[in-house]
Amino acid sequence: TIDPDHSAVIFKVKHLAISTVTGRFDLFEGSYKLDTDNLANSSVDTTIVASSINTNEKDRDDHLKSDDFLDVEKYPNITFKSKEIKKVDGSDFQIVGDLTIHGVTKEVTLDAVYEGYAKDPRGNERTAFVANGKINRKDFGMTWNKALELGGFVVGDEVRITLEVEGIRNKS
């Protein structure tokens, strides 16, 4: 089970074509099965609460929750379900799956790194991985933007995603 206290769902997007805004989603849950001997037996399934978006700026967060972007009233969750996990090299692997945002589902590939295994002081078995990917927000129906007087746009199309995931082995 994904441990939300030791995991993060982070995104970055260009602002005004010159700087980068970093945000996160504070509420998410999910699980993964990680078979390091045979990654084909592995899987990931997660749900993110869209209204938990947090860029540390209330007005921007409210705009991102509106129907210009996530439309959280109509689409309360963002989901990811893996279809294939394949080894690349060493501890590197790829996660291919269906990402659903704003009611649109697209296949995405995340580049991931297995970070390792540990037992915590309570005896829980934990594993971790970091995954990175990119999406085009317009592919998910989020097309709002404003042109700038000197060229470029307020919001970039490319969204970079970083998932830092630590999970606790279920004791069943």
Side-chain angles (χ1 to χ4, degrees):
T1 303
I2 294 172
D3 178 357
D5 294 334
H6 296 97
S7 301
V9 177
I10 303 162
F11 65 91
K12 294 182 180 211
V13 66
K14 281 292 192 185
H15 178 248
L16 302 175
I18 60 169
S19 66
T20 300
V21 169
T22 300
R24 67 183 186 272
F25 289 92
D26 292 330
L27 299 174
F28 51 90
E29 64 182 19
S31 61
Y32 63 91
K33 178 181 175 186
L34 184 59
D35 183 340
T36 56
D37 294 326
N38 184 1
L39 283 175
N41 292 330
S42 300
S43 62
V44 178
D45 190 355
T46 189
T47 300
I48 299 164
V49 177
S51 64
S52 73
I53 194 166
N54 185 345
T55 65
N56 292 319
E57 209 295 305
K58 185 185 178 330
D59 290 342
R60 178 175 47 223
D61 292 346
D62 289 344
H63 190 202
L64 291 170
K65 292 174 190 178
S66 78
D67 59 3
D68 283 341
F69 291 97
L70 294 170
D71 196 358
V72 301
E73 292 296 319
K74 190 172 181 181
Y75 307 106
N77 294 319
I78 297 167
T79 61
F80 180 80
K81 183 165 183 60
S82 66
K83 299 193 309 187
E84 179 184 19
I85 299 181
K86 52 190 174 184
K87 189 169 187 69
V88 174
D89 185 33
S91 60
D92 295 348
F93 59 101
Q94 288 187 320
I95 306 169
V96 179
D98 287 332
L99 177 64
T100 302
I101 303 174
H102 194 248
V104 178
T105 301
K106 296 283 184 184
E107 183 177 281
V108 299
T109 300
L110 303 173
D111 295 317
V113 177
Y114 174 62
E115 297 285 281
Y117 162 88
K119 271 195 177 183
D120 69 21
R122 294 187 176 132
N124 295 308
E125 296 178 59
R126 295 176 177 261
T127 57
F129 66 90
V130 176
N132 292 287
K134 295 177 189 175
I135 61 168
N136 184 318
R137 66 185 179 86
K138 289 182 176 179
D139 291 344
F140 293 88
M142 294 181 285
T143 58
W144 181 92
N145 222 336
K146 282 191 179 179
L148 299 171
E149 187 177 312
L150 298 174
F153 292 91
V154 172
V155 181
D157 293 341
E158 181 181 272
V159 180
R160 292 178 283 153
I161 301 165
T162 299
L163 308 170
E164 304 223 5
V165 178
E166 182 176 312
I168 303 171
R169 182 182 300 273
N170 294 334
K171 294 184 179 189
S172 57

